[in-house]
């Protein structure tokens, strides 16, 4: 059953227009009576069916509010070092599928990718669209936010009860060692770019209370590491 995000608060009968109506009627070619799920701005999720399709308007009548949500019990924000080419597209898509609540693109010392403001804005718009599509496909209850491209220092100003830096130079502490200490609620997971972290970045993170952890003896690609670490966190917390 398809799930769509509507930018309105819950009501039983809703008329959808614009891109979403086009997607439902023309791309998916849904028909009257076909069942679907709607996620409303106020967080209500409801099952319903297409009641009417007229021009570029689709009317949906909902008949059941969905109680059980699909979101993980722990909120994990992925702060991903900017990576080359289409890798960020892949990282955003997979992070949303797996359950990240937000994604922060990081301009790090060893990031070979550098965007000027205009290009960065366009890239974030692109990644946000990928996040919406992935959230629909994964039947998420929320659309994870893709933040502006920012520095490590900026990303560290937000409030988390655990900051994990997956650090290729860490040989002692394993991710599981940290996760089994207690049930954290609001985690920041930091992944370096292809060139890894600079020493200054490791020091900055440690000074801010981040825990550097190893993801194992094998070195993962930057686009692999975040997905592996996210999966381990949700696995550990039975999400
Ligand atoms: N240039 C680094 C090197 O050669 O050691 C590798 C960087 S790796 C391609 C990119 C990022 O993935 C790292 O900065 C880290 O965040 C994460 N990563 C990859 N493998 C890891 C591991 N075994 N333990 C911890 N983090 C890892």
């Amino acid at each position: 059953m398809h799930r769509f995000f509507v930018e309105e608060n819950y009501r039983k009968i809703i008329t959808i227009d614009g891109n979403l109506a086009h997607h439902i009627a023309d791309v998916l070619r849904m028909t009257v009576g076909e069942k679907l799920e709607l996620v409303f701005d106020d967080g209500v999720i409801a099952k319903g069916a297409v009641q009417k399709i007229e021009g570029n308007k689709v009317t949906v009548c909902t008949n059941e509010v969905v109680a059980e949500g699909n979101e993980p019990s722990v909120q994990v924000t992925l702060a991903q070092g900017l990576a080359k080419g289409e890798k960020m597209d892949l990282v955003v898509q997979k992070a949303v599928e797996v359950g990240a609540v937000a994604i922060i693109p990081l301009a790090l010392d060893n990031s070979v990718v550098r965007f000027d403001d205009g290009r960065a804005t366009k890239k974030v718009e692109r990644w946000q669209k990928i996040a919406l599509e992935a959230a629909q496909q994964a039947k998420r209850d929320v659309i994870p936010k893709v933040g502006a491209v920012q520095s490590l220092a900026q990303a560290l100003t937000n409030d988390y009860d655990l900051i994990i830096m997956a650090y290729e130079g860490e040989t002692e502490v394993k991710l599981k060692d940290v996760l089994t200490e207690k049930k954290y609620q609001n985690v920041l997971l930091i992944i370096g770019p292809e060139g890894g972290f600079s020493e200054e970045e490791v020091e900055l993170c440690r000074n801010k209370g981040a825990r550097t952890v190893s993801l194992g003896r094998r070195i993962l690609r930057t686009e692999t590491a975040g997905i592996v670490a996210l999966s381990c966190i949700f696995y550990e917390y039975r999400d």
Side-chain angles (χ1 to χ4, degrees), residues 123-142:
K123 280 288 187 182
V124 169
E125 283 167 6
R126 173 190 171 83
W127 294 330
Q128 188 61 69
K129 193 167 173 299
I130 291 171
L132 169 61
E133 288 161 2
Q136 282 182 164
Q137 179 274 326
K139 292 192 180 298
R140 293 289 301 270
D141 301 350
V142 296

Side-chain angles (χ1 to χ4, degrees), residues 24-129:
I24 292 171
D26 306 323
V27 176
L28 298 175
R29 295 185 180 283
M30 292 184 76
T31 54
V32 171
E34 210 166 332
K35 294 188 183 342
L36 47 71
E37 285 180 340
L38 296 181
V39 182
F40 291 85
D41 256 358
D42 51 7
V44 171
I45 301 165
K47 291 183 191 297
V50 175
Q51 192 181 51
K52 193 168 52 176
I53 299 177
E54 238 168 28
N56 190 29
K57 289 186 187 305
V58 175
T59 302
V60 172
C61 176
T62 63
N63 49 31
E64 178 198 345
V65 172
V66 176
E68 175 69 15
N70 291 340
E71 293 304 301
S73 59
V74 54
Q75 293 207 320
V76 184
T77 296
L78 171 64
Q80 170 68 46
L82 285 178
K84 287 184 279 192
E86 312 280 294
K87 290 179 188 175
M88 287 299 288
D89 294 6
L90 179 82
V91 167
V92 168
Q93 184 187 61
K94 299 312 169 197
V96 170
E97 285 176 48
V98 169
V101 73
I103 292 131
I104 299 175
L106 286 182
L108 295 174
D109 294 347
N110 293 334
S111 290
V112 291
V113 180
R114 294 264 179 251
F115 297 136
D116 61 30
D117 289 353
R119 192 145 146 64
T121 305
K122 282 243 171 301
K123 280 288 187 182
V124 169
E125 283 167 6
R126 173 190 171 83
W127 294 330
Q128 188 61 69
K129 193 167 173 299

Side-chain angles (χ1 to χ4, degrees), residues 133-177:
E133 288 161 2
Q136 282 182 164
Q137 179 274 326
K139 292 192 180 298
R140 293 289 301 270
D141 301 350
V142 296
I143 304 169
K145 174 117 178 76
V146 178
V149 176
Q150 55 197 262
S151 69
L152 183 56
Q154 285 169 307
L156 289 168
T157 54
N158 300 325
D159 195 20
Y160 301 97
D161 60 1
L162 173 62
I163 302 173
I164 294 172
M165 175 185 234
Y167 176 40
E168 62 278 15
E170 176 58 56
T171 54
E172 301 300 316
V173 182
K174 302 271 183 289
L175 178 55
K176 187 170 177 72
D177 300 336

Side-chain angles (χ1 to χ4, degrees), residues 166-168 191-197 213-216 218-220 222 225:
Y167 176 40
E168 62 278 15
I191 300 293
E194 290 92 342
F197 290 110
V213 300
S214 167
L215 298 180
R218 292 161 297 288
I219 294 297
L220 308 176
T222 183

